[in-house]
PDB file of all heavy atoms in Angstrom:
ATOM      1  N   PRO A  54       2.823  -4.204  -7.827  1.00  0.00           N
ATOM      2  CA  PRO A  54       1.767  -3.709  -6.898  1.00  0.00           C
ATOM      3  C   PRO A  54       0.771  -2.739  -7.551  1.00  0.00           C
ATOM      4  O   PRO A  54      -0.333  -2.638  -7.024  1.00  0.00           O
ATOM      5  CB  PRO A  54       2.580  -3.011  -5.841  1.00  0.00           C
ATOM      6  CG  PRO A  54       3.933  -3.725  -5.849  1.00  0.00           C
ATOM      7  CD  PRO A  54       4.151  -4.083  -7.319  1.00  0.00           C
ATOM      8  N   ALA A  55       1.104  -2.154  -8.675  1.00  0.00           N
ATOM      9  CA  ALA A  55       0.224  -1.177  -9.315  1.00  0.00           C
ATOM     10  C   ALA A  55      -1.038  -1.907  -9.790  1.00  0.00           C
ATOM     11  O   ALA A  55      -2.089  -1.258  -9.916  1.00  0.00           O
ATOM     12  CB  ALA A  55       0.893  -0.540 -10.496  1.00  0.00           C
ATOM     13  N   GLY A  56      -0.978  -3.171 -10.008  1.00  0.00           N
ATOM     14  CA  GLY A  56      -2.169  -3.952 -10.451  1.00  0.00           C
ATOM     15  C   GLY A  56      -3.299  -3.954  -9.445  1.00  0.00           C
ATOM     16  O   GLY A  56      -4.444  -4.208  -9.789  1.00  0.00           O
ATOM     17  N   LYS A  57      -2.956  -3.744  -8.172  1.00  0.00           N
ATOM     18  CA  LYS A  57      -3.872  -3.767  -7.085  1.00  0.00           C
ATOM     19  C   LYS A  57      -4.717  -2.453  -7.013  1.00  0.00           C
ATOM     20  O   LYS A  57      -5.720  -2.439  -6.325  1.00  0.00           O
ATOM     21  CB  LYS A  57      -3.253  -3.980  -5.707  1.00  0.00           C
ATOM     22  CG  LYS A  57      -2.564  -5.378  -5.667  1.00  0.00           C
ATOM     23  CD  LYS A  57      -1.952  -5.553  -4.240  1.00  0.00           C
ATOM     24  CE  LYS A  57      -1.249  -6.878  -4.173  1.00  0.00           C
ATOM     25  NZ  LYS A  57      -0.690  -7.154  -2.847  1.00  0.00           N
ATOM     26  N   LEU A  58      -4.264  -1.469  -7.759  1.00  0.00           N
ATOM     27  CA  LEU A  58      -4.974  -0.239  -7.750  1.00  0.00           C
ATOM     28  C   LEU A  58      -6.401  -0.382  -8.277  1.00  0.00           C
ATOM     29  O   LEU A  58      -7.312   0.386  -7.816  1.00  0.00           O
ATOM     30  CB  LEU A  58      -4.212   0.787  -8.732  1.00  0.00           C
ATOM     31  CG  LEU A  58      -4.782   2.216  -8.763  1.00  0.00           C
ATOM     32  CD1 LEU A  58      -4.577   2.858  -7.450  1.00  0.00           C
ATOM     33  CD2 LEU A  58      -4.084   2.977  -9.874  1.00  0.00           C
ATOM     34  N   HIS A  59      -6.683  -1.335  -9.115  1.00  0.00           N
ATOM     35  CA  HIS A  59      -7.981  -1.488  -9.693  1.00  0.00           C
ATOM     36  C   HIS A  59      -8.901  -2.442  -8.911  1.00  0.00           C
ATOM     37  O   HIS A  59     -10.017  -2.629  -9.221  1.00  0.00           O
ATOM     38  CB  HIS A  59      -7.838  -2.152 -11.104  1.00  0.00           C
ATOM     39  CG  HIS A  59      -8.957  -1.871 -12.092  1.00  0.00           C
ATOM     40  ND1 HIS A  59      -9.263  -0.650 -12.508  1.00  0.00           N
ATOM     41  CD2 HIS A  59      -9.778  -2.712 -12.642  1.00  0.00           C
ATOM     42  CE1 HIS A  59     -10.312  -0.672 -13.275  1.00  0.00           C
ATOM     43  NE2 HIS A  59     -10.678  -1.967 -13.401  1.00  0.00           N
ATOM     44  N   THR A  60      -8.395  -2.963  -7.763  1.00  0.00           N
ATOM     45  CA  THR A  60      -9.092  -3.965  -6.995  1.00  0.00           C
ATOM     46  C   THR A  60     -10.386  -3.341  -6.376  1.00  0.00           C
ATOM     47  O   THR A  60     -10.326  -2.276  -5.741  1.00  0.00           O
ATOM     48  CB  THR A  60      -8.318  -4.502  -5.860  1.00  0.00           C
ATOM     49  OG1 THR A  60      -7.060  -5.106  -6.364  1.00  0.00           O
ATOM     50  CG2 THR A  60      -9.008  -5.514  -5.032  1.00  0.00           C
ATOM     51  N   GLY A  61     -11.506  -3.936  -6.601  1.00  0.00           N
ATOM     52  CA  GLY A  61     -12.762  -3.520  -6.052  1.00  0.00           C
ATOM     53  C   GLY A  61     -13.343  -2.303  -6.634  1.00  0.00           C
ATOM     54  O   GLY A  61     -14.326  -1.737  -6.048  1.00  0.00           O
ATOM     55  N   ARG A  62     -12.880  -1.930  -7.793  1.00  0.00           N
ATOM     56  CA  ARG A  62     -13.482  -0.763  -8.456  1.00  0.00           C
ATOM     57  C   ARG A  62     -13.385  -0.857  -9.895  1.00  0.00           C
ATOM     58  O   ARG A  62     -12.609  -1.721 -10.491  1.00  0.00           O
ATOM     59  CB  ARG A  62     -12.791   0.591  -8.026  1.00  0.00           C
ATOM     60  CG  ARG A  62     -11.295   0.632  -8.285  1.00  0.00           C
ATOM     61  CD  ARG A  62     -10.723   1.995  -7.960  1.00  0.00           C
ATOM     62  NE  ARG A  62     -10.811   2.161  -6.495  1.00  0.00           N
ATOM     63  CZ  ARG A  62      -9.797   1.999  -5.669  1.00  0.00           C
ATOM     64  NH1 ARG A  62      -8.641   1.626  -6.068  1.00  0.00           N
ATOM     65  NH2 ARG A  62      -9.964   2.200  -4.362  1.00  0.00           N
ATOM     66  N   SER A  63     -14.218  -0.130 -10.665  1.00  0.00           N
ATOM     67  CA  SER A  63     -14.283  -0.136 -12.079  1.00  0.00           C
ATOM     68  C   SER A  63     -14.109   1.330 -12.561  1.00  0.00           C
ATOM     69  O   SER A  63     -14.370   2.280 -11.851  1.00  0.00           O
ATOM     70  CB  SER A  63     -15.612  -0.694 -12.576  1.00  0.00           C
ATOM     71  OG  SER A  63     -15.918  -0.335 -13.880  1.00  0.00           O
TER      72      SER A  63
END
Side-chain angles (χ1 to χ4, degrees):
K57 296 182 179 180
L58 184 67
H59 204 65
T60 303
R62 59 176 64 99
S63 162

